[in-house]
Amino acid sequence: MKQINLALDTVENREMRLGSITSWTGTASDLVMQSNYEGRSLIKREFDCGKKNGCRLCELEMPFNQQSMCANSIASCQAGNLRDCVLIQHSPVGCTARNPEFNLAMRNGLARRNLEPRNINIVTTNLMENDMVFGASEKLRKTVQETYDRYHPKAIFLSMSCSTAIIGEDITSVADEMEEELGIPVIPLHCEGFRSKHWSTGFDIAQHGVLRQITNRNPKKQKDLINIVALWGTDYFTDMLKPLGLRVNYIMDIASFDELAQTSEAVATTTFCHTLGSYLATGLEQQFGVPQIDAPQPYGIKGTDEWLRAIAKVVDKVEETEKYIQSEHERVHDEIEALKAKLKGVKGFVITGSAYAHGLISVLRELGIEVNGSVVFHHDPVYDGGKENQDTLKTLVENYGDIPNYSVSKTQPFQLPVILGNVDTDFIIVRHNGLAPNAARMGIPSFAMGDEHFPVGYDGIIRTGKAILDILARKKFNQVLKRHVKLPYSDWWLAQNDPFILARDPELIEIDQR
């Protein structure tokens, strides 16, 4: 496990720090085996992948991307969604293209948690051609001052873009100067899009900035406060943890400055998704002595049981928690059994982020739904905490069985017809909605999981089962749609059965074009 160094203003990307990959296909059990570094450490281990010098974890090298996101975009959705802070994107205006989507996510998240509605706090330096030639540091200084005068935020974040990285803009020096002048944290985020091949590094960058410059260095411990690293999901955790006498501190999206500052005062940190939460939880543990909960994610009966028991040990509420778990089992048993009867014989497919997908598949299999395939957007062989219980894919395979058609692919729509053509499924659950239309054109109804916390906990099993019944009721519509629309891909591509054939033989692209 590497030590998180808050003396640095940059974060090593996930490919280098964790060995993360973005292109792979096979069975889930094979990926578990290949990811099992000795001692769960970051010791380099080579596999026979045909490369001259070997690799940490073999991945397929795709010759192009049809669509994706970037670290800049994800850092923006984190830092720009804080209620009393402001993000300045030091970039051309094109880098702000996704901000309307993030604004919608913020407003939905505020509504879910009964907080006052407001828009995102993001401005841009709107770099032009002259800025790219002559530099834009002075423009950034003026933007920071105007932002402070206009909004009076408690902190200002400055995000790097590909353009500003190319011309060598020194946002750290500007941040240091303006922080001294304004008397509030001014936090540089080195999140240029080409820094990492997967957007999840953007989570780490934004969280690193909070740990360095917002988290309280002299905490007064609150023994009833627990950090939940989350996105914009509904507040289901308060009811789940109230029987343990705990109050929830949600971080980071839609949090306030004070909520971020008090993270060092909490009794522990946990999350609904280790992909999202492991960096911040590890930083709080290493630098501030706030333990991270060493448990699987709270999905399904088994995962939720183990998660609650791990929290109970930290807060010394073991006996009370066992009674609570037993009562919850009794409360949800009949309804879950009724859903299992209705869903008997149903087959599903999950397309989401990696750790989140593993949790969802656990829920589906506890509902008796067959899951023979999944696509995850990247794969982390190990998380920053280095804890055995954070190995979500291994936990899934050991507790719920293998997944024979398991692909790692970062939101590539052209691959979906081939991937879905290799499995038999009645529906898909997807997080990034741009992938759903391809499934619809193939006659497969999809559930766009907009509320990230929807499947969490005991009640999450019930919520998910009911939602799937609603999805299946739309199946006829999708079958009719399939008869009247055509997928936008060549017959040659649709005849393939390997979604990564272009990685194995890139020359096929030229052959197909001829």
Side-chain angles (χ1 to χ4, degrees):
M1 178 173 63
K2 286 190 175 182
Q3 189 78 11
I4 289 177
N5 187 355
L6 298 186
L8 301 177
D9 65 347
T10 59
V11 178
E12 192 177 31
N13 66 35
R14 289 202 176 196
E15 300 94 285
M16 299 301 295
R17 197 175 79 247
L18 306 177
S20 303
I21 62 170
T22 58
S23 297
W24 189 92
T25 190
T27 68
S29 59
D30 283 344
L31 189 53
V32 170
M33 180 193 68
Q34 293 182 21
S35 302
N36 188 23
Y37 298 134
E38 184 179 358
R40 305 302 302 155
S41 68
L42 295 181
I43 298 171
K44 183 175 180 181
R45 179 179 177 184
E46 297 188 358
F47 297 93
D48 183 14
C49 59
K51 294 183 180 179
K52 185 175 181 181
N53 298 319
C55 59
R56 296 178 75 181
L57 174 59
C58 294
E59 67 177 323
L60 296 159
E61 295 182 358
M62 291 297 290
F64 66 91
N65 290 321
Q66 187 177 3
Q67 71 169 34
S68 188
M69 292 188 293
C70 67
N72 175 277
S73 180
I74 291 301
S76 297
C77 89
Q78 293 264 285
N81 276 231
L82 302 175
R83 303 204 301 276
D84 48 10
C85 304
V86 176
L87 168 70
I88 297 174
Q89 291 179 299
H90 193 33
S91 68
V93 71
C95 291
T96 70
R98 297 200 67 191
N99 289 356
E101 177 187 347
F102 297 149
N103 190 57
L104 178 62
M106 181 171 184
R107 294 185 70 89
N108 286 341
L110 292 168
R112 290 185 188 117
R113 297 191 200 161
N114 298 314
L115 296 170
E116 182 180 354
R118 61 170 302 141
N119 292 324
I120 56 174
N121 301 318
I122 301 179
V123 298
T124 176
T125 51
N126 189 22
L127 298 184
M128 308 299 284
E129 185 174 325
N130 281 350
D131 299 317
M132 294 298 294
V133 174
F134 298 107
S137 293
E138 186 58 33
K139 189 174 188 178
L140 178 59
R141 289 187 186 91
K142 290 180 179 179
T143 305
V144 174
Q145 183 65 59
E146 184 173 344
T147 297
Y148 179 78
D149 294 340
R150 182 181 298 183
Y151 299 107
H152 299 289
K154 292 187 175 181
I156 295 174
F157 292 82
L158 311 179
S159 68
M160 185 79 87
S161 65
C162 294
S163 301
T164 44
I166 288 170
I167 64 174
E169 285 287 284
D170 185 0
I171 65 169
T172 297
S173 293
V174 174
D176 291 344
E177 293 169 14
M178 296 308 296
E179 179 171 305
E180 184 175 354
E181 183 175 330
L182 299 177
I184 65 170
V186 180
I187 305 167
L189 303 177
H190 294 271
C191 55
E192 56 271 23
F194 55 70
R195 171 172 286 271
S196 176
K197 62 186 174 184
H198 196 268
W199 62 77
S200 55
T201 295
F203 292 125
D204 310 334
I205 294 168
Q207 292 169 10
H208 186 79
V210 169
L211 288 167
R212 288 184 72 239
Q213 294 180 249
I214 295 181
T215 303
N216 188 353
R217 289 291 190 276
N218 300 297
K220 295 180 180 179
K221 290 296 181 179
Q222 303 181 49
K223 294 184 178 180
D224 64 341
L225 187 70
I226 184 167
N227 297 319
I228 305 286
V229 186
L231 292 172
W232 307 274
T234 298
D235 180 19
Y236 296 123
F237 285 93
T238 290
D239 288 339
M240 291 172 64
L241 294 172
K242 190 179 293 183
L244 279 68
L246 294 172
R247 294 180 295 117
V248 170
N249 185 41
Y250 281 113
I251 48 177
M252 286 187 39
D253 285 316
I254 67 177
S256 69
F257 180 92
D258 291 341
E259 288 167 343
L260 295 175
Q262 71 177 354
T263 52
S264 57
E265 302 175 7
V267 68
T269 304
T270 186
T271 181
F272 79 101
C273 173
H274 289 314
T275 296
L276 171 71
S278 64
Y279 188 89
L280 184 53
T282 302
L284 288 169
E285 183 173 62
Q286 291 180 355
Q287 302 294 331
F288 301 95
V290 180
Q292 58 179 311
I293 298 302
D294 184 11
Q297 299 170 144
Y299 295 93
I301 298 291
K302 184 175 178 59
T304 304
D305 287 352
E306 294 188 26
W307 181 76
L308 286 169
R309 286 178 176 131
I311 295 173
K313 289 180 182 178
V314 172
V315 299
D316 196 21
K317 292 285 183 72
V318 174
E319 186 175 344
E320 299 94 317
T321 300
E322 288 301 326
K323 292 179 181 178
Y324 171 55
I325 290 173
Q326 184 60 36
S327 66
E328 287 293 277
H329 285 194
E330 294 171 359
R331 181 179 64 84
V332 300
H333 177 268
D334 290 348
E335 196 163 4
I336 291 176
E337 290 301 312
L339 285 168
K340 288 169 67 175
K342 294 178 182 178
L343 293 167
K344 187 176 182 179
V346 171
K347 300 175 182 179
F349 193 95
V350 173
I351 308 175
T352 75
S354 56
Y356 192 66
H358 307 153
L360 269 173
I361 294 169
S362 301
V363 172
L364 296 184
R365 286 187 165 171
E366 287 203 2
L367 286 167
I369 295 172
E370 185 177 340
V371 182
N372 290 322
S374 178
V375 173
V376 299
F377 302 142
H378 83 295
H379 173 71
D380 296 313
V382 64
Y383 290 111
D384 286 288
K387 299 181 185 298
E388 186 70 24
N389 286 321
Q390 289 181 342
D391 192 338
T392 54
L393 184 59
K394 182 180 178 183
T395 298
L396 172 66
V397 171
E398 289 181 349
N399 292 325
Y400 298 95
D402 203 0
I403 304 171
N405 297 283
Y406 190 85
S407 296
V408 180
S409 176
K410 55 176 183 177
T411 61
Q412 300 304 307
F414 73 93
Q415 290 184 317
L416 283 190
V418 179
I419 291 172
L420 292 174
N422 290 335
V423 297
D424 180 16
T425 186
D426 297 303
F427 69 92
I428 68 168
I429 296 179
V430 63
R431 272 283 295 150
H432 290 250
N433 297 349
L435 299 175
N438 271 0
R441 291 187 180 102
M442 296 178 69
I444 305 171
S446 62
F447 175 22
M449 189 74 79
D451 185 341
E452 300 86 6
H453 297 169
F454 192 80
V456 163
Y458 304 115
D459 285 313
I461 307 171
I462 296 170
R463 287 190 294 266
T464 303
K466 289 180 176 179
I468 291 168
L469 291 176
D470 290 340
I471 294 166
L472 295 175
R474 303 199 310 263
K475 192 169 184 178
K476 186 174 181 180
F477 166 80
N478 289 93
Q479 291 171 342
V480 172
L481 183 66
K482 179 183 178 180
R483 296 201 297 266
H484 295 279
V485 298
K486 186 178 180 181
L487 290 167
Y489 305 111
S490 69
D491 292 338
W492 172 82
W493 177 249
L494 295 176
Q496 303 303 314
N497 58 17
D498 180 2
F500 291 93
I501 191 171
L502 300 180
R504 304 184 205 282
D505 189 358
E507 293 182 2
L508 287 173
I509 299 176
E510 298 178 7
I511 293 172
D512 184 42
Q513 289 175 342
R514 291 198 298 268

